[in-house]
Amino acid sequence: MNLGPLIAAIITVESNGRDNAIGDGGLAIGALQIHKAVVVDVNRIAGTSYTHQQMTNRVAARKVCEIYLSRYASGKSNEEAARIWNGGPTGHKKTATVSYWNKVKKHL
């Protein structure tokens, strides 16, 4: 799966391309609105040492997203991958993530 276009669409939905965006009461940061738990999970999966503060760096944030989606959305459609990004590893099964996908697909 080529994640580039999907990640670009997610960035538009999550932050309108703002690397310094802060959301979810300060818990999600950067262009991809990454929570600390995602960074911890990616570090566990990939043996990396990213920090939550680094998620305002577009290159680091994209890499974290790529690792996360490669782990949890491998072999899945863009819809499933976007919904996993929004709702966690089982996000593609949650009805609450359907509206998120509807926003993302407009930018693909």
Side-chain angles (χ1 to χ4, degrees):
M1 173 191 298
N2 177 8
L3 292 172
L6 178 62
I7 292 174
I10 289 171
I11 287 171
T12 300
V13 169
E14 291 285 0
S15 67
N16 203 25
R18 294 180 306 120
D19 291 320
N20 62 347
I22 299 172
D24 203 13
L27 299 176
I29 63 172
L32 284 156
Q33 290 295 281
I34 298 175
H35 284 253
K36 186 174 184 177
V38 171
V39 177
V40 170
D41 197 20
V42 163
N43 286 337
R44 178 189 59 80
I45 292 165
T48 52
S49 57
Y50 290 107
T51 65
H52 190 230
Q53 294 76 19
Q54 285 179 296
M55 297 305 100
T56 58
N57 175 296
R58 178 79 56 103
V59 173
R62 284 185 71 103
K63 188 62 180 168
V64 163
C65 184
E66 289 169 6
I67 293 167
Y68 189 87
L69 292 178
S70 292
R71 165 79 165 141
Y72 295 112
S74 179
K76 295 197 172 12
S77 68
N78 277 342
E79 176 180 356
E80 291 168 312
R83 292 175 65 191
I84 286 167
W85 182 252
N86 180 243
T90 61
H92 61 299
K93 299 177 182 177
K94 299 175 182 176
T95 57
T97 62
V98 172
S99 62
Y100 180 80
W101 166 244
N102 288 332
K103 293 175 191 174
V104 171
K105 73 180 176 182
K106 291 178 185 176
H107 299 283
L108 283 173

XYZ file of all heavy atoms in Angstrom:
818
model
N 0.844 -1.186 0.000
C 0.000 0.000 0.000
C 0.885 1.243 0.000
O 1.796 1.356 0.811
C -0.909 -0.015 1.241
C -1.703 1.265 1.425
S -2.570 1.446 3.017
C -3.694 0.092 2.994
N 0.611 2.170 -0.903
C 1.307 3.457 -0.920
C 0.587 4.377 0.062
O -0.511 4.855 -0.215
C 1.311 4.043 -2.335
C 1.955 5.405 -2.381
O 2.534 5.877 -1.398
N 1.868 6.057 -3.526
N 1.208 4.624 1.194
C 0.566 5.402 2.249
C 0.642 6.904 2.019
O -0.078 7.657 2.673
C 1.186 5.053 3.602
C 0.924 3.647 4.115
C 1.755 3.373 5.362
C -0.550 3.442 4.405
N 1.495 7.357 1.101
C 1.717 8.790 0.904
C 0.456 9.609 0.709
O 0.214 10.560 1.464
N -0.374 9.274 -0.291
C -1.594 10.055 -0.492
C -2.561 9.983 0.690
O -3.214 10.973 1.030
C -2.211 9.434 -1.750
C -1.069 8.790 -2.463
C -0.157 8.308 -1.371
N -2.664 8.824 1.324
C -3.546 8.678 2.473
C -3.064 9.553 3.625
O -3.856 10.273 4.243
C -3.641 7.216 2.921
C -4.509 6.975 4.164
C -5.958 7.384 3.909
C -4.415 5.525 4.598
N -1.780 9.512 3.912
C -1.244 10.330 5.007
C -1.434 11.813 4.706
O -1.791 12.589 5.600
C 0.225 9.965 5.299
C 0.307 8.550 5.880
C 0.852 10.978 6.257
C 1.710 8.017 6.074
N -1.254 12.219 3.465
C -1.483 13.620 3.092
C -2.935 14.022 3.357
O -3.207 15.119 3.870
C -1.115 13.844 1.628
N -3.868 13.143 3.025
C -5.285 13.422 3.275
C -5.576 13.480 4.772
O -6.326 14.357 5.238
C -6.157 12.362 2.603
N -4.970 12.590 5.534
C -5.155 12.585 6.982
C -4.614 13.877 7.586
O -5.246 14.474 8.465
C -4.496 11.333 7.619
C -5.295 10.084 7.246
C -4.390 11.477 9.130
C -4.624 8.772 7.642
N -3.466 14.334 7.114
C -2.890 15.597 7.602
C -3.862 16.748 7.364
O -4.067 17.595 8.241
C -1.524 15.864 6.943
C -0.474 14.923 7.527
C -1.102 17.331 7.104
C 0.871 14.944 6.807
N -4.476 16.783 6.195
C -5.434 17.847 5.891
C -6.607 17.814 6.867
O -7.012 18.846 7.406
C -5.937 17.729 4.440
O -4.814 17.847 3.566
C -6.949 18.803 4.112
N -7.137 16.621 7.116
C -8.279 16.487 8.023
C -7.882 16.794 9.469
O -8.587 17.505 10.182
C -8.897 15.073 7.913
C -9.908 14.819 9.021
C -9.527 14.882 6.545
N -6.762 16.270 9.896
C -6.354 16.395 11.297
C -5.941 17.812 11.692
O -6.255 18.264 12.791
C -5.195 15.436 11.611
C -5.577 13.979 11.600
C -6.378 13.540 12.814
O -6.666 14.361 13.709
O -6.733 12.350 12.862
N -5.217 18.502 10.810
C -4.617 19.778 11.226
C -4.613 20.855 10.156
O -4.066 21.931 10.392
C -3.173 19.538 11.650
O -2.402 19.165 10.509
N -5.172 20.542 8.994
C -5.089 21.451 7.848
C -3.629 21.800 7.545
O -3.314 22.911 7.149
C -5.941 22.702 8.071
C -6.328 23.352 6.766
O -6.392 22.700 5.722
N -6.582 24.646 6.805
N -2.751 20.820 7.787
C -1.341 20.971 7.455
C -0.503 21.742 8.453
O 0.646 22.078 8.170
N -1.019 21.989 9.625
C -0.271 22.760 10.635
C 0.556 21.822 11.520
O 0.016 21.037 12.284
C -1.220 23.598 11.490
C -1.921 24.689 10.687
C -2.865 25.545 11.524
N -3.823 24.713 12.236
C -3.947 24.681 13.569
N -3.201 25.432 14.340
N -4.850 23.893 14.130
N 1.872 21.945 11.431
C 2.768 21.092 12.212
C 2.713 21.387 13.709
O 3.061 20.542 14.522
C 4.208 21.239 11.719
C 4.405 20.649 10.335
O 3.837 19.579 10.062
O 5.124 21.255 9.530
N 2.294 22.595 14.060
C 2.250 22.976 15.472
C 0.844 22.843 16.071
O 0.578 23.344 17.156
C 2.758 24.404 15.654
C 1.901 25.424 14.921
O 1.069 25.062 14.088
N 2.115 26.694 15.203
N -0.047 22.145 15.379
C -1.421 21.988 15.865
C -1.453 21.208 17.177
O -0.689 20.257 17.374
C -2.270 21.269 14.819
N -2.336 21.657 18.066
C -2.551 20.979 19.349
C -4.046 20.724 19.463
O -4.855 21.630 19.260
C -2.061 21.837 20.533
C -0.555 22.099 20.403
C -2.398 21.166 21.864
C -0.014 23.092 21.407
N -4.399 19.484 19.764
C -5.813 19.141 19.866
C -6.090 18.193 21.007
O -5.188 17.810 21.751
N -7.336 17.827 21.127
C -7.779 16.877 22.139
C -7.316 17.294 23.534
O -6.743 16.495 24.279
C -7.319 15.459 21.790
C -8.177 14.393 22.448
O -9.260 14.728 22.961
O -7.763 13.225 22.447
N -7.527 18.567 23.844
C -7.163 19.079 25.169
C -5.670 19.064 25.439
O -5.242 18.937 26.579
N -4.869 19.170 24.381
C -3.414 19.177 24.520
C -2.780 17.806 24.426
O -1.556 17.683 24.479
N -3.588 16.768 24.250
C -3.062 15.396 24.216
C -2.574 14.967 22.837
O -1.749 14.058 22.734
C -4.124 14.413 24.712
C -4.606 14.611 26.147
C -5.719 13.639 26.475
C -3.450 14.468 27.122
N -3.073 15.599 21.787
C -2.698 15.243 20.416
C -1.949 16.430 19.811
O -2.406 17.571 19.915
C -3.937 14.924 19.590
N -0.798 16.132 19.179
C 0.008 17.235 18.649
C 0.482 16.940 17.231
O 0.550 15.794 16.797
C 1.220 17.562 19.556
C 2.192 16.378 19.658
C 0.760 18.013 20.942
C 3.492 16.718 20.380
N 0.795 18.024 16.537
C 1.392 17.938 15.212
C 0.380 17.810 14.100
O -0.829 17.772 14.318
N 0.899 17.753 12.892
C 0.067 17.692 11.690
C -0.835 16.464 11.672
O -1.921 16.498 11.108
C 0.954 17.712 10.447
N -0.387 15.383 12.300
C -1.160 14.140 12.322
C -1.898 13.919 13.641
O -2.515 12.874 13.838
C -0.252 12.951 12.005
C 0.095 12.840 10.522
C 1.393 12.094 10.296
C -1.046 12.182 9.769
N -1.830 14.913 14.540
C -2.534 14.853 15.824
C -2.271 13.539 16.547
O -3.171 12.758 16.856
C -4.031 15.098 15.631
C -4.348 16.526 15.249
C -3.992 17.491 16.369
O -4.722 17.625 17.330
N -2.832 18.143 16.276
N -0.996 13.313 16.831
C -0.546 12.054 17.422
C -0.567 12.120 18.946
O -0.052 13.064 19.539
C 0.865 11.698 16.902
C 0.807 11.494 15.382
C 1.415 10.469 17.615
C 2.157 11.264 14.728
N -1.144 11.096 19.543
C -1.176 10.949 20.998
C 0.091 10.235 21.465
O 0.696 9.450 20.724
C -2.397 10.126 21.422
C -3.678 10.880 21.364
N -4.338 11.309 22.479
C -4.429 11.282 20.304
C -5.442 11.943 22.130
N -5.519 11.937 20.803
N 0.449 10.450 22.707
C 1.643 9.823 23.283
C 1.578 8.295 23.199
O 2.584 7.639 22.933
C 1.815 10.263 24.736
C 3.110 9.776 25.350
C 3.330 10.337 26.741
C 4.678 9.902 27.270
N 4.946 10.485 28.596
N 0.402 7.713 23.392
C 0.267 6.252 23.350
C 0.664 5.688 21.988
O 1.222 4.581 21.914
C -1.160 5.842 23.689
N 0.414 6.421 20.916
C 0.808 5.971 19.575
C 2.329 5.954 19.465
O 2.915 5.016 18.930
C 0.170 6.860 18.482
C 0.752 6.550 17.110
C -1.336 6.680 18.473
N 2.973 6.981 19.997
C 4.443 7.048 19.960
C 5.034 5.889 20.753
O 5.964 5.215 20.283
C 4.945 8.408 20.498
C 6.468 8.454 20.530
C 4.391 9.553 19.666
N 4.497 5.632 21.920
C 4.974 4.511 22.750
C 4.797 3.198 22.001
O 5.701 2.352 21.972
C 4.239 4.497 24.110
C 4.527 3.216 24.882
C 4.622 5.720 24.935
N 3.654 3.014 21.378
C 3.363 1.789 20.635
C 4.329 1.628 19.459
O 4.877 0.540 19.242
C 1.916 1.810 20.145
C 1.395 0.452 19.739
O 1.974 -0.582 20.159
O 0.397 0.405 18.991
N 4.539 2.690 18.708
C 5.463 2.628 17.563
C 6.880 2.319 18.026
O 7.577 1.504 17.402
C 5.398 3.942 16.742
C 6.597 4.085 15.829
C 4.099 3.988 15.942
N 7.317 2.927 19.112
C 8.655 2.629 19.632
C 8.775 1.158 20.018
O 9.807 0.527 19.770
C 8.981 3.533 20.823
C 9.300 4.949 20.409
O 9.690 5.218 19.268
N 9.140 5.879 21.331
N 7.710 0.599 20.573
C 7.707 -0.823 20.937
C 7.763 -1.691 19.687
O 8.538 -2.639 19.613
C 6.446 -1.142 21.749
C 6.311 -2.607 22.149
C 4.944 -2.902 22.767
N 3.830 -2.600 21.890
C 3.407 -3.380 20.896
N 4.026 -4.517 20.634
N 2.375 -3.037 20.155
N 6.957 -1.347 18.697
C 6.870 -2.129 17.457
C 8.180 -2.109 16.692
O 8.666 -3.144 16.229
C 5.757 -1.571 16.536
C 4.375 -1.807 17.136
C 5.830 -2.165 15.142
C 3.283 -0.962 16.472
N 8.741 -0.908 16.542
C 9.874 -0.713 15.625
C 11.227 -0.570 16.307
O 12.254 -0.473 15.620
C 9.609 0.513 14.740
N 11.241 -0.541 17.628
C 12.504 -0.358 18.330
C 13.081 1.033 18.149
O 14.290 1.237 18.243
N 12.213 1.995 17.889
C 12.640 3.379 17.706
C 12.601 4.110 19.044
O 12.188 3.538 20.066
C 11.725 4.085 16.683
O 10.358 3.887 17.082
C 11.921 3.523 15.286
N 12.990 5.357 19.044
C 12.997 6.136 20.291
C 12.398 7.525 20.072
O 12.914 8.520 20.570
C 14.423 6.245 20.838
O 15.285 6.822 19.866
N 11.311 7.578 19.339
C 10.622 8.853 19.135
C 10.056 9.354 20.459
O 9.717 8.563 21.342
C 9.473 8.694 18.137
C 9.918 8.448 16.726
C 9.788 7.192 16.143
C 10.477 9.467 15.962
C 10.192 6.960 14.841
C 10.891 9.246 14.659
C 10.742 7.995 14.108
O 11.155 7.766 12.816
N 9.964 10.678 20.571
C 9.300 11.287 21.724
C 8.012 11.947 21.238
O 7.886 12.289 20.056
C 10.189 12.355 22.389
O 10.393 13.437 21.466
C 11.532 11.778 22.825
N 7.105 12.125 22.154
C 5.844 12.766 21.790
C 6.094 14.188 21.277
O 5.456 14.640 20.329
C 4.892 12.761 22.990
C 3.508 13.188 22.640
N 2.833 14.150 23.337
C 2.675 12.785 21.643
C 1.639 14.317 22.794
N 1.512 13.512 21.772
N 7.038 14.870 21.880
C 7.350 16.244 21.473
C 7.833 16.322 20.026
O 7.636 17.336 19.361
C 8.407 16.857 22.409
C 7.922 17.062 23.833
C 7.857 15.776 24.651
O 8.480 14.763 24.319
N 7.066 15.792 25.715
N 8.440 15.271 19.518
C 8.921 15.247 18.130
C 7.788 15.200 17.110
O 8.033 15.388 15.921
C 9.829 14.033 17.900
C 11.205 14.142 18.492
C 11.990 12.877 18.223
O 11.624 11.800 18.703
N 13.049 12.995 17.442
N 6.583 14.977 17.538
C 5.480 14.812 16.593
C 5.043 16.123 15.942
O 4.203 16.127 15.052
C 4.299 14.106 17.243
C 4.641 12.679 17.691
S 5.301 11.619 16.361
C 7.073 11.658 16.658
N 5.665 17.233 16.346
C 5.455 18.490 15.627
C 6.419 18.601 14.446
O 6.329 19.532 13.657
C 5.627 19.708 16.552
O 6.924 19.677 17.127
C 4.560 19.724 17.650
N 7.319 17.655 14.327
C 8.230 17.564 13.180
C 7.560 16.679 12.132
O 7.282 15.507 12.383
C 9.567 16.959 13.627
C 10.512 16.722 12.476
O 10.245 15.919 11.589
N 11.634 17.415 12.507
N 7.282 17.246 10.981
C 6.506 16.542 9.947
C 7.153 15.219 9.536
O 6.467 14.223 9.352
C 6.341 17.457 8.730
C 5.602 16.849 7.539
C 4.097 16.828 7.690
N 3.518 18.116 7.950
C 2.890 18.864 7.069
N 2.744 18.445 5.828
N 2.373 20.017 7.422
N 8.464 15.203 9.383
C 9.145 13.982 8.945
C 8.987 12.877 9.995
O 8.644 11.738 9.665
C 10.638 14.256 8.644
C 11.390 12.970 8.347
C 10.776 15.244 7.486
N 9.217 13.215 11.252
C 9.082 12.226 12.328
C 7.638 11.760 12.459
O 7.368 10.560 12.616
C 9.579 12.815 13.650
N 6.692 12.689 12.373
C 5.273 12.334 12.511
C 4.818 11.407 11.388
O 4.108 10.431 11.633
C 4.422 13.601 12.542
N 5.242 11.710 10.164
C 4.878 10.838 9.040
C 5.448 9.438 9.229
O 4.789 8.442 8.931
C 5.349 11.437 7.717
C 4.505 12.588 7.221
C 4.969 13.047 5.851
N 4.621 12.051 4.855
C 3.590 12.170 4.014
N 2.827 13.242 4.043
N 3.338 11.222 3.143
N 6.692 9.364 9.700
C 7.325 8.062 9.904
C 6.573 7.257 10.972
O 6.333 6.057 10.800
C 8.794 8.232 10.283
C 9.557 6.938 10.318
C 9.592 6.268 8.958
C 10.358 4.964 9.013
N 10.183 4.168 7.800
N 6.186 7.921 12.042
C 5.411 7.253 13.100
C 4.085 6.749 12.529
O 3.687 5.608 12.776
C 5.208 8.193 14.307
C 4.094 7.699 15.224
C 6.510 8.334 15.078
N 3.434 7.562 11.735
C 2.175 7.149 11.109
C 2.395 5.960 10.178
O 1.615 5.006 10.198
C 1.571 8.327 10.352
S -0.046 7.995 9.626
N 3.450 6.010 9.385
C 3.759 4.907 8.465
C 3.991 3.603 9.218
O 3.485 2.548 8.829
C 4.989 5.240 7.624
C 4.752 6.305 6.578
C 6.047 6.813 5.946
O 7.137 6.258 6.228
O 5.961 7.785 5.187
N 4.755 3.665 10.295
C 5.038 2.467 11.086
C 3.748 1.919 11.699
O 3.478 0.720 11.647
C 6.092 2.754 12.181
C 7.458 3.056 11.543
C 6.196 1.584 13.162
C 8.479 3.648 12.509
N 2.958 2.806 12.253
C 1.694 2.410 12.896
C 0.758 1.745 11.893
O 0.224 0.658 12.145
C 1.042 3.644 13.514
C -0.153 3.352 14.377
C -0.008 3.045 15.729
C -1.445 3.407 13.862
C -1.112 2.790 16.535
C -2.548 3.155 14.661
C -2.371 2.846 15.994
O -3.466 2.594 16.786
N 0.586 2.392 10.738
C -0.322 1.831 9.736
C 0.239 0.568 9.095
O -0.519 -0.338 8.744
C -0.672 2.883 8.686
C -1.527 4.047 9.201
C -1.781 5.047 8.087
C -2.837 3.553 9.805
N 1.559 0.489 8.951
C 2.164 -0.733 8.415
C 1.912 -1.914 9.350
O 1.743 -3.038 8.902
C 3.659 -0.536 8.195
O 3.872 0.389 7.162
N 1.872 -1.630 10.627
C 1.637 -2.675 11.622
C 0.160 -3.082 11.684
O -0.187 -4.256 11.654
C 2.101 -2.179 12.994
C 1.619 -2.980 14.157
C 2.410 -4.234 14.343
N 2.117 -4.763 15.665
C 1.988 -6.038 15.926
N 2.180 -6.917 14.990
N 1.719 -6.442 17.132
N -0.720 -2.090 11.781
C -2.125 -2.383 12.058
C -3.032 -2.381 10.825
O -4.143 -2.889 10.901
C -2.677 -1.403 13.092
C -2.014 -1.557 14.437
C -1.184 -0.561 14.943
C -2.189 -2.714 15.189
C -0.566 -0.709 16.183
C -1.574 -2.872 16.424
C -0.759 -1.866 16.916
O -0.148 -2.032 18.126
N -2.559 -1.804 9.715
C -3.425 -1.717 8.530
C -2.814 -2.409 7.318
O -3.264 -2.195 6.196
C -3.719 -0.247 8.210
N -1.836 -3.248 7.529
C -1.204 -3.965 6.426
C -2.243 -4.804 5.685
O -3.011 -5.547 6.307
C -0.093 -4.864 6.962
O 0.504 -5.580 5.912
N -2.301 -4.644 4.370
C -3.235 -5.399 3.557
C -4.659 -4.879 3.588
O -5.553 -5.478 2.998
N -4.867 -3.767 4.270
C -6.212 -3.215 4.380
C -6.391 -2.061 3.387
O -5.434 -1.546 2.840
C -6.471 -2.754 5.812
C -6.461 -3.921 6.808
C -7.085 -3.568 8.099
C -7.291 -4.678 9.079
N -6.683 -5.944 8.888
N -7.623 -1.680 3.159
C -7.945 -0.594 2.239
C -7.604 0.764 2.856
O -7.357 0.871 4.068
C -9.442 -0.628 1.912
O -10.194 -0.299 3.077
N -7.628 1.798 2.025
C -7.435 3.160 2.534
C -8.481 3.483 3.588
O -8.174 4.126 4.594
C -7.509 4.183 1.396
C -6.204 4.315 0.653
O -5.150 3.934 1.132
N -6.278 4.871 -0.541
N -9.706 3.060 3.350
C -10.764 3.321 4.337
C -10.423 2.682 5.676
O -10.482 3.332 6.725
C -12.110 2.791 3.861
C -13.192 2.980 4.912
C -14.566 2.479 4.518
O -14.741 2.035 3.358
O -15.463 2.533 5.375
N -10.058 1.419 5.648
C -9.727 0.723 6.897
C -8.529 1.368 7.573
O -8.515 1.541 8.796
C -9.477 -0.753 6.621
C -10.723 -1.512 6.218
C -10.427 -2.886 5.664
O -9.540 -3.015 4.790
O -11.094 -3.835 6.106
N -7.514 1.740 6.791
C -6.315 2.352 7.361
C -6.639 3.693 8.018
O -6.173 3.973 9.130
C -5.250 2.524 6.280
N -7.424 4.524 7.357
C -7.798 5.820 7.934
C -8.590 5.631 9.220
O -8.369 6.334 10.216
C -8.604 6.633 6.926
N -9.489 4.679 9.205
C -10.313 4.433 10.393
C -9.481 3.853 11.535
O -9.733 4.147 12.713
C -11.483 3.529 10.025
C -12.466 4.252 9.088
C -13.569 3.364 8.597
N -14.412 2.937 9.720
C -15.321 1.990 9.616
N -15.519 1.351 8.478
N -16.051 1.666 10.675
N -8.453 3.080 11.221
C -7.523 2.586 12.240
C -6.729 3.746 12.824
O -6.525 3.829 14.037
C -6.608 1.483 11.647
C -7.419 0.198 11.478
C -5.356 1.267 12.500
C -6.737 -0.863 10.623
N -6.288 4.663 11.962
C -5.548 5.833 12.465
C -6.424 6.621 13.436
O -5.967 7.080 14.473
C -5.080 6.722 11.307
C -4.288 7.879 11.801
C -4.670 9.187 11.844
C -2.980 7.836 12.380
N -3.682 9.959 12.393
C -2.628 9.143 12.737
C -2.074 6.812 12.626
C -1.413 9.469 13.323
C -0.854 7.127 13.212
C -0.537 8.442 13.553
N -7.679 6.736 13.136
C -8.599 7.516 13.959
C -9.041 6.768 15.214
O -9.168 7.369 16.274
C -9.820 7.905 13.124
C -10.825 8.715 13.902
O -11.947 8.271 14.090
N -10.456 9.903 14.332
N -9.244 5.462 15.100
C -9.859 4.721 16.200
C -9.022 3.631 16.822
O -9.532 2.823 17.592
N -7.736 3.583 16.476
C -6.879 2.558 17.051
C -6.874 1.281 16.229
O -7.518 1.204 15.178
N -6.153 0.279 16.681
C -5.978 -0.949 15.908
C -7.266 -1.619 15.434
O -7.269 -2.278 14.401
C -5.201 -1.860 16.867
C -4.422 -0.909 17.708
C -5.341 0.269 17.906
N -8.348 -1.439 16.150
C -9.630 -2.006 15.718
C -10.584 -0.917 15.220
O -11.796 -1.142 15.110
C -10.299 -2.814 16.851
O -10.549 -1.937 17.959
C -9.434 -3.980 17.286
N -10.049 0.243 14.904
C -10.868 1.379 14.474
C -11.695 1.121 13.238
O -12.772 1.700 13.079
N -11.200 0.244 12.369
C -11.939 -0.058 11.142
C -13.238 -0.810 11.406
O -14.078 -0.927 10.522
C -11.061 -0.833 10.162
C -10.568 -2.154 10.675
N -9.778 -2.278 11.794
C -10.769 -3.398 10.214
C -9.509 -3.558 12.000
N -10.097 -4.261 11.055
N -13.412 -1.282 12.629
C -14.626 -2.002 12.999
C -15.597 -1.126 13.796
O -16.695 -1.576 14.122
C -14.265 -3.232 13.832
C -13.391 -4.229 13.095
C -13.000 -5.378 13.996
C -12.081 -6.346 13.261
N -11.641 -7.437 14.142
N -15.193 0.098 14.100
C -15.999 0.991 14.933
C -16.838 1.923 14.067
O -16.314 2.620 13.206
C -15.094 1.819 15.848
C -14.262 0.997 16.809
C -13.314 1.870 17.602
C -12.436 1.047 18.523
N -11.445 1.882 19.229
N -18.132 1.947 14.332
C -19.005 2.837 13.558
C -18.638 4.307 13.774
O -18.868 5.131 12.894
C -20.487 2.606 13.911
O -20.673 2.796 15.311
C -20.932 1.205 13.519
N -18.052 4.615 14.914
C -17.682 6.000 15.220
C -16.626 6.560 14.268
O -16.462 7.774 14.181
C -17.188 6.097 16.661
N -15.918 5.689 13.544
C -14.857 6.175 12.645
C -15.328 6.367 11.204
O -14.564 6.824 10.363
C -13.650 5.218 12.660
O -14.058 3.930 12.180
C -13.040 5.095 14.054
N -16.567 6.042 10.923
C -17.088 6.174 9.556
C -17.084 7.639 9.120
O -16.674 7.970 8.007
C -18.493 5.560 9.427
C -19.113 5.864 8.073
C -18.431 4.051 9.652
N -17.517 8.544 9.993
C -17.557 9.964 9.629
C -16.153 10.503 9.383
O -15.954 11.373 8.523
C -18.279 10.782 10.696
O -17.609 10.702 11.929
N -15.171 9.989 10.125
C -13.781 10.388 9.904
C -13.348 9.979 8.492
O -12.764 10.782 7.758
C -12.879 9.739 10.957
C -11.425 10.098 10.817
C -10.949 11.310 11.288
C -10.521 9.217 10.226
C -9.600 11.651 11.165
C -9.181 9.546 10.104
C -8.733 10.760 10.574
O -7.400 11.093 10.449
N -13.636 8.753 8.096
C -13.303 8.290 6.758
C -13.970 9.164 5.701
O -13.361 9.503 4.695
C -13.679 6.826 6.566
C -13.667 6.434 5.119
C -14.737 6.025 4.370
C -12.541 6.436 4.222
N -14.339 5.776 3.069
C -12.997 6.032 2.960
C -11.201 6.760 4.376
C -12.157 5.923 1.859
C -10.356 6.648 3.271
C -10.839 6.237 2.032
N -15.199 9.544 5.924
C -15.903 10.392 4.955
C -15.184 11.720 4.753
O -15.164 12.248 3.642
C -17.354 10.606 5.381
C -18.183 9.344 5.202
O -17.889 8.506 4.347
N -19.212 9.199 6.015
N -14.573 12.246 5.807
C -13.783 13.476 5.682
C -12.488 13.204 4.917
O -12.110 13.971 4.036
C -13.451 14.047 7.060
C -14.640 14.549 7.837
C -14.211 14.976 9.226
C -15.400 15.239 10.120
N -14.982 15.515 11.505
N -11.803 12.128 5.275
C -10.508 11.816 4.647
C -10.668 11.543 3.157
O -9.884 12.055 2.340
C -9.834 10.612 5.353
C -8.602 10.142 4.586
C -9.446 10.977 6.785
N -11.658 10.782 2.776
C -11.789 10.387 1.365
C -12.032 11.583 0.449
O -11.708 11.527 -0.736
C -12.845 9.303 1.170
C -14.265 9.725 1.301
C -15.180 8.528 1.069
C -16.619 8.891 1.287
N -17.503 7.725 1.109
N -12.552 12.661 0.972
C -12.736 13.878 0.170
C -11.404 14.482 -0.274
O -11.361 15.272 -1.210
C -13.519 14.924 0.967
C -14.970 14.570 1.201
C -15.651 15.630 2.024
C -17.072 15.212 2.363
N -17.719 16.177 3.246
N -10.336 14.119 0.403
C -9.015 14.689 0.122
C -8.085 13.709 -0.599
O -6.916 14.018 -0.825
C -8.371 15.191 1.412
C -9.177 16.263 2.072
N -9.195 17.562 1.636
C -10.035 16.198 3.116
C -10.010 18.260 2.382
N -10.527 17.460 3.293
N -8.604 12.560 -0.967
C -7.797 11.581 -1.708
C -7.940 11.790 -3.208
O -8.955 12.203 -3.696
C -8.221 10.154 -1.353
C -7.717 9.646 -0.015
C -8.331 8.310 0.319
C -6.204 9.536 -0.007
